[in-house]
Amino acid sequence: MVDAPRALPDLDALGPAAMKVMIADQHAVIEHLKLIIAKLRRMQFGRRSEKVDRQIEQFELQLEVIEASRVEPVQEPVSTPTPKAVPSAAGKRRPLPGHLRREVHTHLPEHKDCPECGGTLKKLGEDVSEMLEYIPASFVVLRHVRPKLSCARCACVVQAPAPTRPVDRGLAGPGLLAHVLTAKFADHLPLYRQSQMYAREGVDLDRSTLAKWVGEASHLLEPLVEVLRRYVMNTDKLHGDDTPLPVLAPGNGRTKTGRFWTYVRDSRPAGDIAPPAVWFTYSPDRKGEHPQRHLASFRGILQADAYSGFNKLYEDGLIQEAPCMAHIRRKFYDLMEAHQSPIATEAVERIAPLYAIEKEIRGRPPDVRREVRNARARPQIESMRNWLETSLSKLPRKSETAAAIHYALARWNALVRYLDDGRIELDNSAAERALRAVAVGRRNYLFAGSDAGGERAAVFYSLIGSAKLNGLDPEAYLRHVFGRIADHPISRIEELLPWNVAPSLSLANQAAA
């Protein structure tokens, strides 16, 4: 039912002061609505990048014209000598990767003897060129035959033990299981699409069968993920974030909103050589009790956004807050894009040099980072705070720009903590990068079938994300794990973590090459 339109206020009855307040409120509402529209337009139609350089699109068009003109023939007068073209560096083709398998096809001339005089031909040299080809993957049936041998003198019968399978009495081998899981959780192919792809190759693997494999595989990997969780939490600086996940609510045919939480251990920007890792977990809602339970044993620095559920973690001082400059910048960036706010534009321009400093010192030890930040970033940070406070006094109280400044100033004391602690990053990009896989996958499978499905997905996101952080092909890593985990001693399960597996995978790749 549509509400009846409200009567317009009697402007004649309003005094000048009340009129100014009403106009200011209306301007604030209009500004807010324009910002929402601009955000929605950018999400639906615009670029996701928040780069400020507005000449990028122009440069890309110029490059397109240049590249196209390089292959267009130019008509020259016959009488004018054409200088020999000098190949440009941009036109050089990169060599094909050396690790790829090479198939040599030798093309012999059709003449066995000299076509001119009939003499014997001898090798003068050869021309070699390469072409990149793709051979579709294929299914292979591995038939394990175990002959039974009996003794001719007694009743003894001997037979080799049956080879282990990733899933007891399961049909899928380690490679197929790894392929299905990587396709779903790294390449974002839902199971029904995979089933259709396999059917084109004449293999009937229905969706229910694939779903059963996902469930059995997640159960098999749970002990490994628990070891991974303990490793992630055993650090003094952690990145944390969360993202929504639509989940089918049983009984009513609708979806509810579950939550993926991610915690990343990655101190490589501060010169730490410890392997990076990420741990995902799922919860059916976004209550603050979940991160409080996840981080019950953690002590150190938590780099996260301004979610209120984290606030209780900071009360006793055992966990220190390190906010995210990217979130502060994003609020100003949206205002700059929505209605070219001069204050928002200047805020984005003031933040840019801070990131330039971080780029220079990435990978340096914490003490070096602290020294550089105090010498170069601190004056800019202090100047920016004074400028924000001055700008705030000139803005309407309810404006969006004022709200962005309030958001920044409310976190300023925690934000500047990074100046005196070289372990802390300027933003929480490590956790946001880890969540990209969830965001892309969410567009493909739309929603999870149940809370249990969210918990299973967290298992695979944890291992695949950690494999990627350590430079491993996630499918090769999962194939390695599934080929060994059934027989691997639980007391040495940490040997199957990505960074411990990396040397074996490297040797296997060298042998294959």
Side-chain angles (χ1 to χ4, degrees), residues 113-355:
D113 298 316
C114 177
E116 299 292 336
C117 67
T120 303
L121 297 173
K122 62 179 181 179
K123 187 173 183 179
L124 178 64
E126 62 184 11
D127 292 329
V128 179
S129 62
E130 291 187 333
M131 178 173 62
L132 187 63
E133 182 60 291
Y134 175 75
I135 300 176
S138 58
F139 287 93
V140 177
V141 177
L142 300 181
R143 176 173 292 181
H144 297 281
V145 179
R146 299 183 296 129
K148 293 181 179 180
L149 304 178
S150 61
C151 178
R153 300 178 59 182
C154 66
C156 179
V157 177
V158 295
Q159 186 180 33
T164 57
R165 300 172 182 245
V167 178
D168 189 28
R169 296 189 298 276
L171 180 66
L176 177 56
L177 208 54
H179 179 73
V180 169
L181 295 170
T182 305
K184 177 172 174 60
F185 295 103
D187 301 327
H188 321 296
L189 283 174
L191 296 181
Y192 78 90
R193 292 186 191 170
Q194 294 190 53
S195 178
Q196 294 169 352
M197 293 167 61
Y198 302 148
R200 291 199 299 266
E201 300 185 44
V203 179
D204 183 17
L205 292 175
D206 57 50
R207 184 179 181 180
S208 62
T209 298
L210 298 178
K212 181 182 177 183
W213 291 354
V214 171
E216 292 171 334
S218 68
H219 179 70
L220 183 66
L221 296 174
E222 283 175 359
L224 181 59
V225 174
E226 172 57 23
V227 175
L228 178 69
R229 182 196 67 81
R230 292 201 297 265
Y231 173 82
V232 169
M233 293 297 166
N234 186 25
T235 182
D236 56 6
K237 192 208 69 177
L238 200 61
H239 293 267
D241 206 350
D242 67 289
T243 192
L245 176 72
V247 180
L248 190 63
N252 55 18
R254 299 181 180 179
T255 59
K256 61 178 183 178
T257 302
R259 215 77 190 178
F260 271 128
W261 305 83
T262 186
Y263 300 97
V264 181
R265 172 180 176 175
D266 188 358
S267 295
R268 290 175 296 176
D272 193 354
I273 61 173
V278 56
W279 176 61
F280 280 84
T281 187
Y282 169 83
S283 68
D285 52 54
R286 203 194 184 198
K287 294 179 180 178
E289 65 189 41
H290 300 301
Q292 293 162 23
R293 184 179 68 256
H294 303 156
L295 301 172
S297 61
F298 174 71
R299 301 291 181 268
I301 301 160
L302 176 62
Q303 191 118 32
D305 61 14
Y307 168 52
S308 60
F310 289 132
N311 291 343
K312 190 173 180 60
L313 295 168
Y314 310 133
E315 291 179 354
D316 56 9
L318 297 177
I319 297 179
Q320 290 182 304
E321 178 186 8
C324 176
M325 176 64 85
H327 280 77
I328 296 174
R329 180 188 181 276
R330 191 167 299 139
K331 291 184 178 296
F332 290 113
Y333 179 87
D334 288 336
L335 289 166
M336 181 184 73
E337 290 288 295
H339 36 69
Q340 293 75 49
S341 164
I343 293 179
T345 301
E346 184 171 349
V348 172
E349 292 173 350
R350 283 175 174 267
I351 293 172
L354 301 177
Y355 276 95

